[in-house]
Amino acid sequence: MTRKAGFVLDLGRCVGCAACVLACRLEHGWPGSAPFRRVLPLNEVRHPAGPTYFLSLACHHCERPACAAACPTGAYERRADGIVRHREDLCVGCRYCEMACPFGAPRFDGARGVVAKCDFCEARFERGDVPACVAACPTEALRVAPDSGSAAEAIPGFRDAAGCRPSIRFTLPGGIRGARLTGLLRQMAERR
Amino acid sequence: MTNTARDQAMHEWPLAVFTALAIPAAGVCAARPIVYSLGVTAPRPVMTAAAGALVAGLAVSLWHLGRPARAPLAVRRAGRNALSSEVFLAAVVLALSALESAAHPAPPVRLALVSATGLAALLLLAVVGLVYFLPARRPWRSALVASPLALGLAAGVVALASAGVRAPLLVDLALALLAADAIVAAFGWTSQPARASGFDPVHPAVFERRRTLIALRFVTVDVVPAVLLLAGHAAAAGIVLGAGVFVDRLTFYGTVCARTTEAEIATIERVIAGSAPR
């Protein structure tokens, strides 16, 4: 059975150490200007009195990727295992995928003149490993989504806006109003 | 350590220049069959200028590409992708114009070529708008996608009038198209969501003056050219409208920009801060 690509992020466990970012950069030869993964802090700067959470985000490997629809050269392909792959040899660097993606996943690498994005560490994934970011996470906040089973504990963080169907799932920490956070996370797709 | 750095340079300048040149150029080609059907031939310099503007626009658009040498790959998905179709149709318009110019065909063939060029230019104008119909992004799925079509047709007819083409009802047609453009643009801009405040650092500060820019766009594209046409100053109307098209494109690229993920994070932060245990 083919494993399916998709991340689960537990907001209650992520401590914002950015080991995932570092692992991603090392795995992909340290692409200087186009990090595939970002850690976005919640509250750390603007509301330090509140609890701090971290969102570790990369490409969500959508079921119907907006980047692929926008690309004029067909540089994007969605594999059977769910990995949305970007072919750099076909990329002209027009950046329309950047505009089209509601999650800011494709990043233009000015030094190379092409867009780059998370490939779910496809080589590792094909040999049965987890992506480098997942392997490096010290708190197991970032995981590969299980094929089945514990899906009930995870919620889709992003609204299924315009049919993108992002694969990422979030597990919410206790102590915050989950439903409202869920709604806002959904708006991240809707309101952009 | 966090990593929220984004490429903060405004990279759409070449696109603004490209569309500011291509929209009026395609408009001239699209409007030409109308004039031709009225028995009037558009002056050759006007058509040469339109083709030159289209070529110049395409050349400038290469500045937007990270790999300009791979530009021909951009037509790979013509018919299935708006951007691919845009490049393909621009090439078709240029090829048909060049063919007509070089071959000096007999009148029936010429009529067919003029019509085919006009149809391709009309499709090009529609596709220029559809490039920015990006369903997953709310700012990019407004009625503004129809604006290049209305703007191009108006600019094309005004350009022909300003070049001295004397066809019956041409000025009336130009005024009607300017009115249509104003309606389409007004509908488009009012359906456009406001930008997130304070989290769009990618464009120069001038684009924070959204209302002023939109007002300037309507004045230079619709109001002043219409007044000048009514006053009989067609050439001046063409010049002002040319500048207006550039204002329109800069306003479009400068203000219809992405809300960043970071902006949405800030929204979530406010709620978490508000619901945190005291």
Side-chain angles (χ1 to χ4, degrees):
Chain A
M1 181 180 156
T2 309
R3 292 167 74 210
K4 287 287 180 185
F7 292 110
V8 176
L9 180 66
D10 187 336
L11 269 69
R13 288 189 176 200
C14 182
V15 295
C17 68
C20 49
V21 177
L22 185 60
C24 176
R25 289 191 154 200
L26 289 172
E27 179 72 17
H28 294 93
W30 206 282
S33 58
F36 299 162
R37 180 165 286 281
R38 296 175 293 160
V39 175
L40 302 176
L42 298 175
N43 285 355
E44 187 179 61
V45 177
R46 286 180 286 271
H47 301 284
T52 298
Y53 301 109
F54 297 92
L55 279 172
S56 173
L57 300 176
C59 174
H60 300 323
H61 298 277
C62 302
E63 206 173 310
R64 294 169 64 180
C67 53
C71 179
T73 68
Y76 287 90
E77 61 185 12
R78 187 173 185 276
R79 304 184 349 166
D81 57 9
I83 293 176
V84 177
R85 184 167 173 261
H86 176 251
R87 287 183 55 184
E88 282 191 12
D89 59 321
L90 290 178
C91 182
V92 295
C94 69
R95 307 179 70 168
Y96 277 88
C97 52
E98 263 192 334
M99 295 184 194
C101 174
F103 312 112
R107 294 298 185 98
F108 182 68
D109 184 340
R112 291 185 298 151
V114 293
V115 163
K117 74 166 202 63
C118 163
D119 63 355
F120 212 79
C121 293
E122 58 178 316
R124 295 172 61 106
F125 195 63
E126 280 168 3
R127 63 174 186 258
D129 289 344
V130 294
C133 52
V134 173
C137 181
T139 62
E140 295 185 332
L142 191 62
R143 305 190 300 274
V144 172
D147 293 334
S148 60
S150 57
E153 74 176 20
I155 53 113
F158 295 103
R159 187 183 133 96
D160 185 11
C164 278
R165 296 178 192 164
S167 65
I168 191 168
R169 296 289 180 269
F170 292 95
T171 303
L172 297 178
I176 63 170
R177 282 178 282 180
R180 195 162 184 196
L181 177 61
T182 304
L184 285 162
L185 285 168
R186 285 175 175 165
Q187 287 176 17
M188 291 173 73
E190 184 187 30
R191 294 176 58 203
R192 281 167 59 80
Chain B
M1 182 180 86
T2 60
N3 191 344
T4 60
R6 295 177 68 89
D7 184 359
Q8 299 204 345
M10 181 176 173
H11 60 82
E12 296 98 339
W13 288 103
L15 300 178
V17 175
F18 162 58
T19 51
L21 291 170
I23 288 174
V28 167
C29 295
R32 193 176 166 217
I34 301 169
V35 176
Y36 199 83
S37 67
L38 296 171
V40 180
T41 305
R44 196 180 179 92
V46 177
M47 301 316 299
T48 305
L54 198 49
V55 170
L58 285 168
V60 171
S61 74
L62 293 177
W63 261 267
H64 183 248
L65 300 182
R67 294 286 184 95
R70 294 182 184 173
L73 289 175
V75 296
R76 282 187 85 215
R77 296 183 69 209
R80 291 173 294 155
N81 174 276
L83 180 57
S84 259
S85 302
E86 180 186 52
V87 179
F88 176 76
L89 285 166
V92 168
V93 168
L94 282 174
L96 289 173
S97 299
L99 181 64
E100 184 208 333
S101 178
H104 302 291
V109 178
R110 188 172 189 194
L111 176 61
L113 279 173
V114 167
S115 302
T117 309
L119 180 63
L122 203 60
L123 290 172
L124 173 59
L125 286 172
V127 164
V128 167
L130 287 175
V131 166
Y132 295 99
F133 183 73
L134 302 173
R137 304 288 294 269
R138 190 171 166 220
W140 297 109
R141 59 171 191 259
S142 76
L144 272 181
V145 295
S147 184
L149 178 61
L151 178 61
L153 285 173
V157 173
V158 171
L160 289 174
S162 70
V165 174
R166 294 285 174 264
L169 302 176
L170 190 63
V171 170
D172 298 312
L173 178 63
L175 290 170
L177 287 169
L178 286 174
D181 169 74
I183 292 167
V184 169
F187 187 66
W189 281 108
T190 50
S191 67
Q192 195 64 32
R195 296 167 64 191
S197 59
F199 286 92
D200 286 314
V202 293
H203 293 101
V206 65
F207 293 112
E208 295 298 324
R209 299 172 181 273
R210 184 171 182 267
R211 287 185 180 178
T212 306
L213 285 166
I214 293 171
L216 184 62
R217 178 254 182 247
F218 278 103
V219 167
T220 53
V221 170
D222 300 314
V223 179
V224 174
V227 170
L228 288 170
L229 280 173
L230 285 170
H233 302 296
I239 293 168
V240 173
L241 182 52
V245 172
F246 193 62
V247 172
D248 174 88
R249 302 321 296 165
L250 276 181
T251 305
F252 176 76
Y253 285 106
T255 65
V256 190
C257 65
R259 284 166 177 267
T260 62
T261 302
E262 287 83 348
E264 303 302 337
I265 295 291
T267 307
I268 296 168
E269 282 179 325
R270 283 194 289 275
V271 171
I272 293 177
S275 63
R278 302 287 177 191

